[in-house]
Amino acid sequence: MPNCTHCKLPCQNEVLTLEQENTPPLVFCCAGCKQVYTLLHDLQLESFYDKLGAKPLAPIAPPKAHAKEHYSSKAFLDKFTTPLENGLLEVALLLENIHCAACVWLIEHVLLKQKGIYGVQTNYTTQRAFVRFEPTEIDIAAILDAVAAIGYQAQVYDPRVQDNHAKKQQEKAFIALVVGVFASMNIMFIAIADYAGYFSGMDIHMAFKLHIASWALASLALFITGAVFLKGAFYGLKHGVVGMDLSVSVGALGVYLYSIYATFSGARPYFESVSMLITLVYLSKFLELKAKHRANALLDSLQSALPLQVAVVELEEGQIKRVLKDPQDIEVGALVEVLPGECVALDGVLESENAEVSTQAFNGESLPTTLEKGQSVLSGCVNLSGAFTYRVGAPFKASFLSQMVELVQKSFLEKPKLQERADKLARYFGGAVLALAGLGFVFWAFMASIAQGFFVAMSVVVVACPCAFALAAPIALVLGSNAAFKKGVLFKKNSSLESLAKASTLFLDKTGTLTKSLLQVQSRSTHAPYDLGQLLGLLWHNPHPIAKSLCAFFKEQAQPALVENLKQENGGLEARCGGHILHGGSVAYLESKGVSVGDLKADFVYSVDRKLKASFSLQASLKPQALEVVQGLKSIRLKIAILSGDGSPSVFKIAKELDLPCFAPLSPQEKLAHVQSALAQKEVVVMVGDGLNDTASLATSQVSMCMHEGHDLSLLYSDIILLNNSLEGVQIAFNVAKSTHQRIKQNLAISALYNALFIPLALCGAITPLIAAVGMGLSSLLVVANSFRLRL
């Protein structure tokens, strides 16, 4: 019976063929397999079969077409996609029927061959793919059909469904742990009686009954608590992967089968070893699961705190009415009322005269924040005083809290190199242990007996602990990221932790980073008459400290005009208003736009139709604890320098106060040159900026940090977001990164030391299966416990 060319399975009743020139025809078990093979041939992706090797695939069921109207509707796109630059959208997919890394490779390459798809990032562990696509060229239905056409299934990721799945998974894991603990506690009581009877004498029939009871309890632990290891070992062997699950399963099953034989042959069984091994290793796995869920617990509580309905203030037939709407249905520009105790659902601008809110949920700030009319209101803030209204400035999907949730969900896609090395070591370690166990069996079977050889081999498999290597990095990374988030520091990707721990050079911007965000206007010059409302319209919605300070300075003198085509560029802003073109920003920016400014020295310059109108000089005081933070960063041997676009004397005064070298005034290109120069000298560079003039430097440095006040840009260009806008956040990020990196190295050292000590003892026959089981479980628990020190 021939095998199918695509899925490698034997052809049953139906055999389809595909004729080729000068070669025998290809055979297929079904039309689906033939269709997929033809598709891969047309896309020139035949190398998939080389990567797959001899592994069989599931036969291909005819794909079901997805409803284009449903997936292309505006409501669906607004809810399940994220807008990106250049009109692209990003959708998260959950993949099914993934068998191995070759499957992930195939899905990525097939999708990238589709017109309109510009990027695919897939996580094999979570089976989640993030697809960036152009909605005018391809729709989500076509993306799902493309995946289905090659034999896999995909569905759009829904956080609410995933949260319910995670809760059920945790409940199921807890039940399995309870079964294991119950079985282990009772089996140890029986084992104590058995050992006591062994020394004092026990009737053989009573001993047999105790062994049968132990057998029943060990079976509960092995096949209920240990089901996850047995299943993982099966699929691992099926796809040629030797890992922790295989080592645990072989050791537990080997001792279990030997104990059954010993029960009926009058020898000493080791059922307690089986139960202890499974329960202790499962406990470490359960703690890992708890740590992962805890990492998102704060964001989950924030999401649950957001109101399911929002009160929109509308004018109907001359009457003001409050209409309750779903936050996802509210459009930009709507007027929303927030009652005392309610959580803000969408970003916007305060319309009431003032408001008092709590931001503790996402930046750890315990003191309330007082907002004034015109200031930004972020989703996740809780109203602490009377009702206030605000104008919605961003859709629900693009609001601050929604973006924070998405960033945390993506943060584990990119692994640090240290974790990649640990994972690779864990994979090879399992195979090496099985080989050592085999050699131990042959040696002792020849030198003593087959029973002794089996005893030693099982002890080696049980005592070896690849799971300690596998757990060394993930739990520490999860807990480290979570600890940082609770202190107002968000790591967008875990690989930044390792880079930050190894950083050697730190560049700091001045305005908004070292100094308070609200600057004081020191002097102003009017070079020609201008409309103050147009200037405020240009600046009103911009998060940069200079823009916010000028708006606060002029807030009682005029109302902002409505501007059009507002563009935020490196160094300044451009917009149109009443047929005029407005520019505002640094001197260099206006010169680049053709404005003649002469030898003017100012922090902000304003022009209308490329004619100079006004200039402003501003000054800011240092942020609290700036000196202490800088000294603390110096103590960890960082090279620190200020890179500023501000050429005023205040920059060098601040640099002198902090005893730091200062390079100013610098254009964005000159800042970038400093970063590139440090990188060329093999320095690990960290850049902290405000996200306006520093975007090129932030994107080029190995690790970039940004205050969340400019969150539109910081989310785009920064690896780390300082949610509390405090310079202390920089020090917190360094401290967490170094502590996490240190814990990972300690975990790897613990794992290596344990295995180097206990495996030779097991090979020498000096360790019983019970001691091996306890040792293996305790080594994993020790790694987990060491990682949990990051919570202190």
Side-chain angles (χ1 to χ4, degrees):
M1 184 179 295
N3 289 339
C4 176
T5 303
H6 174 72
C7 70
K8 315 297 183 186
L9 295 174
C11 297
Q12 301 295 330
N13 300 325
E14 182 182 16
V15 178
L16 303 178
T17 60
L18 180 67
E19 299 296 333
Q20 306 183 102
E21 294 184 5
N22 305 322
T23 56
L26 303 176
V27 295
F28 301 93
C29 65
C30 62
C33 286
K34 183 178 180 180
Q35 178 183 346
V36 172
Y37 180 87
T38 305
L39 175 62
L40 296 184
H41 178 76
D42 294 341
L43 294 176
Q44 299 180 348
L45 294 175
E46 300 96 329
S47 58
F48 165 70
Y49 297 105
D50 297 329
K51 296 178 181 293
L52 183 65
K55 302 184 187 73
L57 297 171
I60 306 300
K64 297 181 180 179
H66 294 85
K68 179 176 180 179
E69 296 77 12
H70 171 65
Y71 290 104
S72 299
S73 67
K74 184 179 184 301
F76 187 90
L77 293 176
D78 290 344
K79 186 173 183 180
F80 292 107
T81 65
T82 303
L84 303 175
E85 289 183 313
N86 303 322
L88 298 182
L89 298 178
E90 183 177 66
V91 62
L93 304 179
L94 281 177
L95 305 175
E96 300 176 7
N97 306 329
I98 301 297
H99 304 293
C100 58
C103 299
V104 171
W105 178 90
L106 177 61
I107 291 172
E108 287 183 345
H109 282 72
V110 166
L111 289 178
L112 288 172
K113 290 278 186 177
Q114 308 299 314
K115 182 181 179 182
I117 295 182
Y118 294 91
V120 182
Q121 191 176 20
T122 307
N123 186 306
Y124 172 63
T125 303
T126 61
Q127 298 188 357
R128 194 178 304 172
F130 291 88
V131 182
R132 296 184 293 278
F133 67 99
E134 168 57 64
T136 60
E137 298 179 12
I138 190 172
D139 53 49
I140 295 177
I143 296 173
L144 298 177
D145 289 339
V147 176
I150 52 175
Y152 303 94
Q153 297 297 320
Q155 58 180 313
V156 176
Y157 170 74
D158 188 340
R160 295 172 298 179
V161 175
Q162 186 66 16
D163 288 343
N164 292 333
H165 174 72
K167 290 177 182 177
K168 291 180 180 178
Q169 181 186 22
Q170 196 167 357
E171 291 173 0
K172 186 178 178 181
F174 181 73
I175 292 172
L177 178 63
V178 169
V179 171
V181 171
F182 169 80
S184 297
M185 290 178 64
N186 285 278
I187 206 171
M188 288 306 296
F189 284 125
I190 296 174
I192 292 171
D194 194 14
Y195 276 111
Y198 179 81
F199 290 106
S200 61
M202 179 183 288
D203 180 78
I204 188 171
H205 297 292
M206 178 57 69
F208 180 75
K209 291 177 181 179
L210 291 177
H211 294 164
I212 293 296
S214 298
W215 181 9
L217 290 167
S219 299
L220 287 176
L222 180 60
F223 297 112
I224 296 180
T225 307
V228 62
F229 303 118
L230 298 175
K231 189 182 295 184
F234 171 76
Y235 286 109
L237 281 176
K238 184 177 180 180
H239 301 296
V241 177
V242 177
M244 177 192 76
D245 291 339
L246 183 61
S247 297
V248 173
S249 300
V250 168
L253 278 173
V255 176
Y256 179 77
L257 294 174
Y258 169 79
S259 298
I260 295 175
Y261 165 78
T263 298
F264 292 98
S265 63
R268 171 75 178 87
Y270 290 97
F271 288 117
E272 69 277 6
S273 300
V274 177
S275 182
M276 289 294 293
L277 167 64
I278 293 295
T279 303
L280 287 173
V281 176
Y282 191 85
L283 176 58
S284 65
K285 193 175 187 70
F286 179 78
L287 290 175
E288 179 189 6
L289 181 65
K290 288 283 288 182
K292 289 180 179 179
H293 285 302
R294 188 176 289 113
N296 291 322
L298 183 57
L299 287 177
D300 291 339
S301 65
L302 282 175
Q303 283 184 299
S304 62
L306 287 176
L308 298 177
Q309 290 185 315
V310 174
V312 179
V313 180
E314 295 182 349
L315 186 63
E316 184 176 332
E317 297 179 355
Q319 298 291 324
I320 297 177
K321 293 187 177 181
R322 297 173 70 253
V323 181
L324 296 179
K325 292 185 178 181
D326 189 306
Q328 296 177 347
D329 297 333
I330 297 177
E331 297 180 355
V332 174
L335 188 64
V336 173
E337 183 180 37
V338 183
L339 299 177
E342 284 188 346
C343 186
V344 177
L346 304 99
D347 292 359
V349 177
L350 186 66
E351 289 287 333
S352 299
E353 289 301 320
N354 54 66
E356 191 175 46
V357 299
S358 170
T359 60
Q360 186 174 12
F362 57 78
N363 65 14
E365 179 58 55
S366 58
L367 296 176
T369 301
T370 300
L371 303 177
E372 296 183 359
K373 185 176 181 179
Q375 287 190 284
S376 297
V377 182
L378 297 180
S379 58
C381 294
V382 177
N383 185 7
L384 298 179
S385 58
F388 66 81
T389 57
Y390 71 95
R391 188 78 60 182
V392 175
F396 181 78
K397 190 71 176 179
S399 290
F400 175 71
L401 187 61
S402 297
Q403 292 181 322
M404 291 299 103
V405 173
E406 185 176 354
L407 288 174
V408 171
Q409 289 170 347
K410 288 184 178 181
S411 64
F412 295 98
L413 282 175
E414 188 173 348
K415 295 181 179 179
K417 293 180 180 178
L418 196 59
Q419 181 178 351
E420 292 177 354
R421 291 194 291 268
D423 292 344
K424 186 176 181 181
L425 178 61
R427 289 196 297 269
Y428 289 120
F429 183 79
V433 167
L434 292 178
L436 283 175
L439 292 174
F441 172 79
V442 172
F443 175 82
W444 284 100
F446 179 78
M447 297 297 296
S449 64
I450 292 179
Q452 180 66 16
F454 178 81
F455 182 88
V456 169
M458 288 300 99
S459 296
V460 171
V461 172
V462 172
V463 81
C465 193
C467 51
F469 285 113
L471 294 173
I475 295 184
L477 289 170
V478 168
L479 293 174
S481 298
N482 197 36
F485 186 78
K486 287 182 178 180
K487 295 178 180 178
V489 178
L490 172 61
F491 284 84
K492 286 174 61 177
K493 52 186 180 181
N494 277 337
S495 57
S496 302
L497 279 162
E498 184 175 22
S499 300
L500 193 61
K502 298 178 179 179
S504 57
T505 297
L506 173 64
F507 290 129
L508 299 168
D509 180 44
K510 178 188 75 72
T511 306
T513 300
L514 289 171
T515 59
K516 292 180 181 179
S517 58
L518 194 61
L519 307 172
Q520 300 295 323
V521 176
Q522 299 297 306
S523 63
R524 52 182 292 199
S525 299
T526 301
H527 303 276
Y530 64 94
D531 185 340
L532 183 56
Q534 291 183 346
L535 171 60
L536 288 177
L538 178 69
L539 301 174
W540 195 252
H541 294 292
N542 192 274
H544 192 275
I546 289 180
K548 293 175 67 176
S549 301
L550 288 174
C551 287
F553 182 74
F554 287 117
K555 68 177 181 178
E556 302 295 339
Q557 301 180 34
Q559 292 294 319
L562 181 64
V563 299
E564 300 174 343
N565 302 326
L566 178 63
K567 291 193 295 184
Q568 185 169 267
E569 301 174 316
N570 281 336
L573 301 163
E574 177 182 299
R576 290 186 177 274
C577 182
H580 301 286
I581 183 169
L582 315 179
H583 289 103
S586 66
V587 171
Y589 174 74
L590 261 68
E591 286 181 329
S592 71
K593 295 297 181 180
V595 180
S596 176
V597 295
D599 58 354
L600 181 66
K601 300 293 183 182
D603 298 303
F604 184 86
V605 187
Y606 174 61
S607 71
V608 178
D609 296 329
R610 293 183 171 80
K611 294 181 180 179
L612 183 62
K613 296 295 182 180
S615 59
F616 303 87
S617 294
L618 301 95
Q619 187 174 354
S621 57
L622 278 173
K623 286 186 174 181
Q625 289 84 43
L627 183 59
E628 292 83 349
V629 170
V630 169
Q631 289 175 342
L633 294 172
K634 284 182 178 180
S635 67
I636 57 176
R637 299 179 180 178
L638 275 175
K639 301 175 185 175
I640 309 175
I642 298 174
L643 303 182
S644 178
D646 185 358
S648 66
S650 63
V651 180
F652 299 96
K653 178 183 177 183
I654 287 172
K656 186 176 181 180
E657 288 182 41
L658 298 176
D659 190 24
L660 292 176
C662 178
F663 302 93
L666 298 177
S667 66
Q669 292 75 19
E670 290 171 331
K671 285 189 178 184
L672 177 61
H674 279 273
V675 172
Q676 292 174 331
S677 175
L679 291 173
Q681 298 174 28
K682 306 299 181 184
E683 300 283 344
V684 179
V685 178
V686 179
M687 176 72 190
V688 184
D690 59 16
L692 182 60
N693 298 341
D694 307 311
T695 51
S697 302
L698 289 168
T700 305
S701 58
Q702 281 140 318
V703 182
S704 54
M705 299 188 202
C706 194
M707 306 293 172
H708 97 275
E709 286 182 330
H711 66 273
D712 289 340
L713 284 174
S714 63
L715 293 182
L716 186 61
Y717 294 105
S718 295
D719 303 313
I720 301 169
I721 302 171
L722 307 178
L723 300 175
N724 52 17
N725 294 312
S726 170
L727 194 61
E728 291 176 286
V730 178
Q731 190 168 19
I732 290 171
F734 274 98
N735 292 340
V736 169
K738 288 186 176 295
S739 297
T740 304
H741 194 254
Q742 186 179 21
R743 293 292 180 272
I744 294 174
K745 291 194 293 184
Q746 289 172 353
N747 290 344
L748 290 173
I750 290 170
S751 305
L753 182 62
Y754 164 81
N755 286 290
L757 178 63
F758 280 86
I759 291 177
L761 291 175
L763 280 171
C764 295
I767 293 180
T768 65
L770 177 60
I771 296 175
V774 173
M776 181 185 189
L778 289 178
S779 66
S780 296
L781 289 176
L782 189 59
V783 166
V784 173
N786 187 53
S787 298
F788 265 78
R789 291 169 57 203
L790 288 166
R791 297 180 61 201
L792 301 178

